[in-house]
Amino acid sequence: MPKNNNPILPGQTIGIIGGGQLGRMMAIAAKYMGYHIAVLDPTSNCPTSQVADKQITGAYDDRQAIKELTETVDVVTYEFENVDLTAATYIEKKGKLPQGAYALEITQNREKEKQLMKDLGLPIPDFAIVTSGSECEEALKAFSFPAVIKTCSGGYDGKGQIKLNSREDTQQAVAFAEKNTHCIIEEWVAFDKEISVVFTRAESGEIIIFPIAENDHKNHILYQTQVPARISEDVQKKAYKAAEKLAEKMNVVGTFAIEMFVQGEEIFLNEMAPRPHNSGHYTIEACNISQFAQHIRAIAGLPLTPITLLAPAAMINILGEDLDGVLKALPKVEDGFVHLYGKVEAKSKRKMGHTTFIAETREEIQSQISRFEEAKR
Ligand code: AMP
């Protein structure tokens, strides 16, 4: 594993497991610094391979492909949490996975994730784990509604969960639990806002936190992130403290994100991601260092850069259905930093890119967004 006295330096090669947009933006940050990039992904011409030096085309759990990646590169990172655990452990044992396998093990499983938060005394919604329809029916008797049932593994962007509005939804939940076997039921938090804490931890244990982001979702998919988040100093302190506690306990290295609900002056932790996060994309233009560049510094064993927010920002995701409008607006407006990820097919609800707006005031950002929206028509 790279230590500060043995860092990975430009000219050496970083391997990335997963060739999506997060891998692509990590790779771009690393290329700026002069690193070489190899990516492992089953799909050729994936977003990361378009900016990488080399692609190993193979499944994430293909032993041969993992071995080839490990042998080709000086350090390995991952861009998503569903990395095969056997593969991650293999790379870690070879001393080339500073992020470690443990953070994956926890974040791949909502039960382990919530249990760890609970063990650390962190505020979370009440929850119950159920492994069958009958256990679900029994557990729901003790819940007030609304509640939500989620699969313990494999869910993202609202997939693999249903909101239970009233006791009448019990049978729907029972069928869901019967089908998915291992599920978590959570109390529904009537939150005022959702925030995320994106931070980076170095191998030395140093933690540097990006400004907290305020997130709006549409159809369970992140729609917009605004920075700075409109939260009190007290909420900010609570969020920082929770993030530091988790980071230290999990011994994470690299950029990491924790999503939280804010209700009044209270926070409730929702979920975490052991990698750069959609709600941290604003850092590319709005901070002196991006979540991706800081991630590269951490996994390369370089000291972290102190963070400055250069200006307030808003980031809006571009989904498949928005792409034509964005391309229409681009030649007409001056504002908005458009990032497209090079995905070949613009499917509905698929994240194709994002646009970041920065300005001195929130009002000016809002006017930029309105002008952009107008130009899309
Ligand atoms: P998740 O996949 O857990 O991040 O959930 C996706 C979205 O569903 C969250 O960003 C929230 O908007 C909503 N959600 C999930 N769990 C809860 C909860 N316990 N209370 C309120 N809203 C929730």
Side-chain angles (χ1 to χ4, degrees), residues 63-74:
R63 297 267 167 101
Q64 195 47 44
I66 291 287
K67 187 163 179 276
E68 188 187 339
L69 179 76
T70 311
E71 283 169 4
T72 310
V73 306
D74 298 289

Side-chain angles (χ1 to χ4, degrees), residues 8 25 33 52 177 199 216 242 297 318 353:
I8 307 294
M25 289 183 273
M33 294 178 76
F199 62 88
D216 296 308
R297 293 183 69 88
I318 301 169

Side-chain angles (χ1 to χ4, degrees), residues 155-171:
Y156 67 98
D157 285 345
K159 294 191 178 80
Q161 60 178 274
I162 37 176
K163 185 179 176 188
L164 309 170
N165 289 308
S166 71
R167 212 160 279 287
E168 277 157 35
D169 292 332
T170 299
Q171 280 320 308

Side-chain angles (χ1 to χ4, degrees), residues 123-188:
I124 49 172
D126 278 342
F127 72 95
I129 302 296
V130 296
T131 59
S132 68
S134 54
E135 275 184 30
C136 172
E137 188 157 17
E138 199 48 42
L140 277 177
K141 287 180 187 159
F143 269 84
S144 54
F145 288 80
V148 56
I149 184 164
K150 306 175 181 178
T151 55
C152 276
S153 56
Y156 67 98
D157 285 345
K159 294 191 178 80
Q161 60 178 274
I162 37 176
K163 185 179 176 188
L164 309 170
N165 289 308
S166 71
R167 212 160 279 287
E168 277 157 35
D169 292 332
T170 299
Q171 280 320 308
Q172 205 189 342
V174 168
F176 184 88
E178 201 59 53
K179 182 167 154 237
N180 293 294
T181 343
H182 206 156
C183 293
I184 181 166
I185 302 172
E186 288 173 20
E187 161 202 24
W188 187 261

Side-chain angles (χ1 to χ4, degrees), residues 110 125 148 150 158 161 186-189 191 194 217 220 259 261 270-271:
R110 289 189 196 269
V148 56
K150 306 175 181 178
Q161 60 178 274
E186 288 173 20
E187 161 202 24
W188 187 261
V189 180
F191 55 78
E194 293 188 73
H217 292 80
H220 297 286
E259 293 181 82
F261 305 129
N270 180 27
E271 62 175 2

Side-chain angles (χ1 to χ4, degrees), residues 29-211:
K31 293 295 283 182
Y32 264 129
M33 294 178 76
Y35 289 101
H36 301 298
I37 299 291
V39 58
L40 169 67
D41 194 274
T43 312
S44 56
N45 194 31
C46 59
T48 309
S49 78
Q50 294 166 16
V51 299
D53 299 277
K54 177 184 163 89
Q55 171 164 10
I56 296 168
T57 310
Y60 303 126
D61 60 352
D62 176 337
R63 297 267 167 101
Q64 195 47 44
I66 291 287
K67 187 163 179 276
E68 188 187 339
L69 179 76
T70 311
E71 283 169 4
T72 310
V73 306
D74 298 289
V75 67
V76 178
T77 181
Y78 43 76
E79 63 130 30
F80 71 139
E81 50 272 35
N82 287 316
V83 173
D84 180 67
L85 270 189
T86 316
T89 309
Y90 166 83
I91 306 167
E92 189 172 24
K93 281 198 180 129
K94 295 276 176 198
K96 288 191 178 176
L97 191 70
Q99 272 163 296
Y102 178 66
L104 289 173
E105 186 188 332
I106 297 295
T107 54
Q108 280 175 7
N109 186 305
R110 289 189 196 269
E111 178 180 6
K112 288 186 182 171
E113 188 174 59
K114 281 281 179 333
Q115 195 56 51
L116 179 71
M117 292 169 176
K118 191 175 172 181
D119 292 346
L120 288 173
L122 296 170
I124 49 172
D126 278 342
F127 72 95
I129 302 296
V130 296
T131 59
S132 68
S134 54
E135 275 184 30
C136 172
E137 188 157 17
E138 199 48 42
L140 277 177
K141 287 180 187 159
F143 269 84
S144 54
F145 288 80
V148 56
I149 184 164
K150 306 175 181 178
T151 55
C152 276
S153 56
Y156 67 98
D157 285 345
K159 294 191 178 80
Q161 60 178 274
I162 37 176
K163 185 179 176 188
L164 309 170
N165 289 308
S166 71
R167 212 160 279 287
E168 277 157 35
D169 292 332
T170 299
Q171 280 320 308
Q172 205 189 342
V174 168
F176 184 88
E178 201 59 53
K179 182 167 154 237
N180 293 294
T181 343
H182 206 156
C183 293
I184 181 166
I185 302 172
E186 288 173 20
E187 161 202 24
W188 187 261
V189 180
F191 55 78
D192 303 318
K193 55 184 58 166
E194 293 188 73
I195 59 169
S196 53
V197 182
V198 177
F199 62 88
T200 312
R201 185 167 179 271
E203 260 183 276
S204 62
E206 181 192 17
I207 298 173
I208 296 205
I209 305 180
F210 285 95

Side-chain angles (χ1 to χ4, degrees), residues 195 197-199 207 209-212 231 233-246 258 260 267:
I195 59 169
V197 182
V198 177
F199 62 88
I207 298 173
I209 305 180
F210 285 95
I212 294 183
I231 50 174
E233 224 167 273
D234 199 34
V235 165
Q236 177 173 313
K237 270 192 204 143
K238 284 178 182 163
Y240 280 180
K241 233 175 149 182
E244 282 165 0
K245 221 169 174 179
L246 270 168
I258 307 177
M260 305 179 188
I267 57 164

